[in-house]
Amino acid sequence: MKLGAVVITMGNRPDELRALLDSVAGQDGDRIEVVVVGNGAAVPDVPAGVRTVELPENLGIPGGRNVGIEAFGPSGADVDALLFLDDDGLLPLSDTAELCRQAFEADPGLGIISFRIADPDTGVTQRRHVPRLRAADPMRSSRVTTFLGGANAVRTKVIAEVGPLPGRFFYAHEETDLAWRALDAGWMIDYRADMVLNHPTTAPSRHAVYHRMVARNRVWLARRNLPAPLVPVYLGVWLLLTLVRKPSGPALKAWLGGFREGWATPCGTRRPMKWRTVWRLTRLGRPPVI
């Protein structure tokens, strides 16, 4: 099984990027071809053999990754699966790529693998980095309904079948959009605790646009993918959860502005999932109402 890797960068973490690329080059088995996408920025110096693409503007996380996919041919067809890795991450174990190959080869229905993210100093995995509701034990691997954007592997047949990441999302929930479309097409998603990406512990709210885009994209996600009766239920639950969490005044204002924006702006093509997919998500532990 032939693997490629896509890394997007803003060009501001050259040392971390180099360490990541070295960890990819050090993986067991066949060489992994890597494409680094400068998302509206120049790409720092990279090792020989690493391809680069420099975009004139920042297309956001899904847009940048989509450019990286196409660098491997239409829908990434030049390889069998693509690793998507954050530029400040690191693969601490040399067998991660080989484990990916083995997992995809053993299960033809497996479309996406979500890695475990661990802090490089403490080894701790944040609860938000375990892509399921029952997240107390990050060391337990399981089937899941979504995946982590900067630490995963995707079979390129999935992208060819259901399309790329939703570029207009720019930041937040693009992984769940792809995951729901993949599950609706019959693919499965695994969270693998033994496939690790080291990444410094951070808070998603560090991004200035976090609250607005999380809310806007949540609405777009529902409008694009859910059967009509579930759209108000899903969004109503998330509105209540947001209020219960008691965000600060500015954060709540930004969130509500994004929520309104999600209803007032185009969300892209609507392809509601089948009701049997709703049941499938429910059986996997996360019904699409939360």
Side-chain angles (χ1 to χ4, degrees):
M1 170 165 271
K2 188 175 182 180
L3 299 181
V6 173
V7 181
I8 58 172
T9 184
M10 299 296 292
N12 56 352
R13 294 189 281 234
D15 294 339
E16 293 89 340
L17 174 62
R18 185 62 182 247
L20 169 67
L21 297 176
D22 288 345
S23 74
V24 174
Q27 291 294 298
D28 300 337
D30 294 340
R31 176 180 173 272
I32 300 171
E33 185 177 353
V34 182
V35 170
V36 177
V37 178
N39 215 353
V43 176
D45 289 339
V46 296
V50 173
R51 289 192 288 153
T52 62
V53 179
E54 293 185 354
L55 303 178
E57 62 178 310
N58 183 356
L59 299 182
I61 293 173
R65 287 185 177 140
N66 286 342
V67 170
I69 292 169
E70 293 302 308
F72 289 92
S75 300
D78 293 346
V79 293
D80 298 301
L82 284 168
L83 310 181
F84 294 92
L85 305 170
D86 278 350
D87 69 340
D88 56 345
L90 180 80
L91 297 174
L93 305 174
S94 64
D95 64 349
T96 301
E98 194 61 28
L99 289 173
C100 284
R101 293 186 187 98
Q102 292 171 7
F104 284 130
E105 288 170 349
D107 185 355
L110 177 61
I112 302 171
I113 301 171
S114 188
F115 301 167
R116 179 169 64 88
I117 293 179
D119 184 272
D121 297 321
T122 66
V124 171
T125 297
Q126 292 180 276
R127 188 181 182 91
R128 70 184 181 91
H129 284 152
V130 183
R132 59 179 179 243
L133 290 179
R134 296 178 179 178
D137 182 8
M139 302 306 293
R140 179 174 66 88
S141 300
S142 69
R143 289 268 153 122
V144 289
T145 61
T146 188
F147 63 99
L148 306 174
N152 67 79
V154 180
R155 196 189 291 267
T156 53
K157 285 183 179 178
V158 174
I159 299 167
E161 184 173 351
V162 306
L165 294 157
R168 69 177 61 206
F169 278 39
F170 197 85
Y171 167 78
H173 302 318
E174 65 272 6
E175 302 92 356
T176 299
D177 188 271
L178 177 59
W180 282 2
R181 286 182 280 128
L183 288 162
D184 197 47
W187 296 99
M188 298 302 294
I189 306 169
D190 279 355
Y191 166 73
R192 288 284 297 265
D194 57 338
M195 301 182 190
V196 183
L197 181 88
N198 279 353
H199 189 283
T201 298
T202 57
S205 55
R206 70 190 186 281
H207 298 291
V209 296
Y210 171 77
H211 296 286
R212 170 181 153 251
M213 288 196 174
V214 160
R216 182 198 68 183
N217 292 359
R218 182 81 68 184
V219 177
W220 282 358
L221 177 70
R223 290 174 58 199
R224 284 164 57 92
N225 294 288
L226 291 181
L230 292 186
V231 173
V233 178
Y234 177 82
L235 295 175
V237 167
W238 277 102
L239 176 60
L240 289 174
L241 284 173
T242 300
L243 296 175
V244 166
R245 291 169 177 170
K246 298 180 180 179
S248 67
L252 180 60
K253 181 178 179 181
W255 195 95
L256 292 173
F259 193 79
R260 288 192 294 270
E261 183 183 350
W263 286 106
T265 53
C267 64
T269 303
R270 172 169 165 76
R271 293 190 180 93
M273 66 177 64
K274 308 173 190 71
W275 282 103
R276 68 169 177 262
T277 305
V278 173
W279 175 237
R280 190 180 190 192
L281 288 163
T282 303
R283 287 189 292 111
L284 287 169
R286 188 148 199 168
V289 293
I290 188 170

